[in-house]
Amino acid sequence: MTALALAAAVRSGARTATDVLEEHLAVIDRLDGEVAAFNLVTAELARAQAEAVDAAVARGEDPGPLAGVPVALKDNLCTRGIPTTCSSRILEGWRPPYDATVVTRLVAAGALVVGKTNLDEFARGASTENSAFGPTRNPHDPSRVPGGSSGGSAAAVAAGFVPIAVGSDTGGSIRQPAALCGVVGLKPTYGLVSRYGLVAFASSLDQIGPFATTVADAVACLEVMAGHDPLDSTSIPEASPALQGVLADGVDGLRVGVVSELLGEGVAPEVATRTRQAAEALAAAGATVEEVSVPATRLGLSAYYLIAPAEASSNLSRYDGVRFGLRVDAPTTGEMMERTRTEGFGEEVKRRIMLGTYALSAGYYDAYYGKAQRVRTLIARAFAETYADHDVLLSPTSPTTAFAFGAKTDDPMAMYLNDVCTIPTNLAGHAAVSVPYGVGDDGLPIGVQVLAPALGEAVMGRVAAALERSAPTTPPPTLGSRPADATTSGTDTSAEGVR
Ligand code: GLN
């Protein structure tokens, strides 16, 4: 059942939030051992929230647009008094003293927080293999990755554990796992959703956004989370856009450009084929569709892998054994910090710290970081020119379907190439969404990406909804059929516990 259908049932009194919650917790309890989407299931918190929703309905009040909807949060979103690990050892034992703004808004809208989902450590990665808790499995095939870094959130929605999950996207971490897991994943315009309480990766790129099984559910969640927040200085002043009402408007007369550079080298033929089919479907629905060249998009990856690590190395300097989580004792403060960071951070995070520190160091700053910033400006200009005569752009989300565990862990470049289609959007600060569009030769989901200019969420939503209406079906995952001894231990939903 969709989030909107569940909320309608709860708001009308047809179902209780408690009943909806228990049903979802039972599925998580039974099947998360096969997926490992959750770092923590917050059953008691969700039960208290469900009771509050049911009490509001009993009083004749409207508990909000997401009344009784179970929601999972990527474990880099702060939750007051509840462990927030970023799937890193270095935050072991840390409990934030406040909720992220998106958490406050979701709960105020009636949503129930059922848990914190697994991610690549500090959101660096594209497979959820860089997690101190071990990997999350793709619900469509347990031998494949769910994508990343928000792999737990994408898998939780794909597995039917929750109708809505929240993730963060710095270079593709919502859209790429959404594509690999066959769900909708939306990265809003930079500044549309407050990042207060999101543990920072690269502050000039990070955005929070929803995962859902339908475009309507994704935008319903976005409507709740969006809007100005004085606690985030990068939050834009505009009011939250109304999106649900435009989804049925169709695409008649819209101008769609299919980005040639993102259909070529490195993109699997089956993925390119699905993207072309999506473009044809939009043309059949009345849009003007043409291929368009945006050469600067090819520069995105190299600029991103200087800018993002540079910002990351700075943001990660605060984990020094003094204020947060892990501390490995040593005779001097300097040694304590060194040992804490050596033991607390995983390999990929260390690689990013070194890359970023190098890019920012005196003597290399202009050649690397400065140059990358100029490339970023070029990309923004190229998009601005393209959007002068296109309403939206279309591309694959991920160059391939879900890959096998270990396939890219020894080759960082191969892993980084996963985000070749998603990164340009982040560098420009624009919006983009991945919509499931059938499966590849291996039977695994493929996502098509709709890109829009800043604050273009409404037109992007119309195109995404049209794609959804025309999409070949993605068969649902078949969980629960694996023998019990092939699964890891089930997630304990009876109490609060970190797995
Ligand atoms: N895969 C990219 C990276 O590793 C993007 C991650 C993200 O969007 N958080 O940096």
Side-chain angles (χ1 to χ4, degrees):
M1 219 177 181
T2 65
L4 285 170
L6 286 174
V10 171
R11 291 166 100 174
S12 70
R15 290 192 71 181
T16 66
T18 302
D19 178 43
V20 170
L21 173 66
E22 293 304 333
E23 188 178 277
H24 285 81
L25 287 176
V27 178
I28 296 169
D29 198 25
R30 193 158 56 85
L31 298 174
D32 195 39
E34 285 180 44
V35 180
F38 285 95
N39 286 349
L40 175 72
V41 174
T42 52
E44 292 314 319
L45 172 71
R47 286 184 176 120
Q49 290 165 342
E51 275 169 29
V53 168
D54 290 334
V57 175
R59 286 194 302 269
E61 294 164 12
D62 181 359
L66 296 178
V69 175
V71 172
L73 304 172
K74 186 175 183 178
D75 203 10
N76 61 354
L77 289 163
C78 288
T79 40
R80 192 159 71 93
I82 293 166
T84 297
T85 69
C86 295
S87 288
S88 179
R89 276 208 64 204
I90 209 152
L91 283 178
E92 228 166 61
W94 182 60
R95 290 168 188 256
Y98 60 93
D99 277 329
T101 293
V102 293
V103 177
T104 308
R105 289 188 180 177
L106 286 164
V107 173
L112 318 173
V113 174
V114 299
K116 310 291 294 281
T117 58
N118 198 14
L119 63 148
D120 284 297
E121 185 178 5
F122 284 105
R124 288 136 181 89
S127 67
T128 317
E129 289 169 291
N130 303 329
S131 163
F133 297 109
T136 293
R137 284 180 279 278
N138 192 313
H140 290 271
D141 179 345
S143 70
R144 308 286 180 111
V145 303
S149 63
S150 317
S153 286
V157 172
F161 298 160
V162 280
I164 285 178
V166 181
S168 64
D169 190 312
T170 305
S173 278
I174 292 174
R175 292 158 287 158
Q176 185 260 10
L180 270 46
C181 289
V183 299
V184 176
L186 193 157
K187 184 207 100 72
T189 301
Y190 186 80
L192 186 60
V193 175
S194 165
R195 285 108 38 93
Y196 179 74
L198 167 71
V199 176
F201 169 178
S203 309
S204 76
L205 301 162
D206 299 339
Q207 253 309 286
I208 296 172
F211 290 89
T213 57
T214 65
V215 174
D217 276 3
V219 302
C221 178
L222 175 59
E223 282 177 347
V224 166
M225 296 193 297
H228 184 66
D229 177 13
L231 297 174
D232 174 358
S233 62
T234 62
S235 160
I236 54 180
E238 278 81 359
S240 175
L243 298 170
Q244 288 183 65
V246 305
L247 297 183
D249 286 358
V251 295
D252 201 21
L254 290 184
R255 300 156 306 167
V256 179
V258 186
V259 185
S260 342
E261 284 77 9
L262 303 181
L263 272 178
E265 197 195 330
V267 175
E270 56 190 4
V271 174
T273 301
R274 289 297 189 196
T275 309
R276 291 208 164 89
Q277 279 176 3
E280 283 160 20
L282 293 176
T288 310
V289 181
E290 60 172 12
E291 244 188 61
V292 57
S293 175
V294 193
T297 54
R298 294 301 287 189
L299 307 174
L301 199 71
S302 38
Y304 173 88
Y305 275 99
L306 289 164
I307 293 167
E311 295 185 18
S313 67
S314 162
N315 275 326
L316 289 168
S317 62
R318 61 172 67 89
Y319 306 107
D320 54 7
V322 177
R323 282 164 298 175
F324 303 94
L326 183 75
R327 171 181 300 178
V328 181
D329 283 322
T332 68
T333 307
E335 282 171 277
M336 180 280 286
M337 288 178 175
E338 191 179 323
R339 283 200 205 163
T340 299
R341 288 170 68 85
T342 301
E343 285 184 31
F345 289 135
E347 288 308 304
E348 183 60 27
V349 167
K350 286 178 186 160
R351 184 177 358 257
R352 302 289 176 104
I353 292 172
M354 285 188 284
L355 280 172
T357 307
Y358 188 77
L360 289 174
S361 57
Y364 295 105
Y365 185 97
D366 281 343
Y368 293 111
Y369 183 74
K371 197 167 180 182
Q373 290 290 18
R374 289 194 290 279
V375 170
R376 184 174 187 173
T377 304
L378 270 183
I379 292 170
R381 275 197 206 133
F383 271 127
E385 279 166 25
T386 313
Y387 283 126
D389 41 24
H390 295 89
D391 296 296
V392 297
L393 300 174
L394 209 64
S395 84
T397 305
S398 162
T400 65
T401 57
F403 45 93
F405 287 106
K408 301 184 182 185
T409 37
D410 295 335
D411 184 354
M413 269 309 288
M415 191 67 90
Y416 298 170
L417 279 164
N418 272 287
D419 297 308
V420 67
C421 301
T422 48
I423 278 172
T425 296
N426 300 77
L427 289 170
H430 293 167
V433 61
S434 180
V435 181
Y437 216 79
V439 295
D441 301 337
D442 51 12
L444 293 171
I446 287 175
V448 169
Q449 182 179 219
V450 185
L451 300 91
L455 298 177
E457 275 81 1
V459 69
M460 181 177 91
R462 281 168 62 190
V463 175
L467 284 181
E468 184 176 57
R469 288 192 288 271
S470 74
T473 48
T474 307
T478 48
L479 290 167
S481 53
R482 298 173 68 212
D485 62 356
T487 66
T488 60
S489 60
T491 304
D492 179 11
T493 56
S494 58
E496 248 79 299
V498 184
R499 74 176 165 90

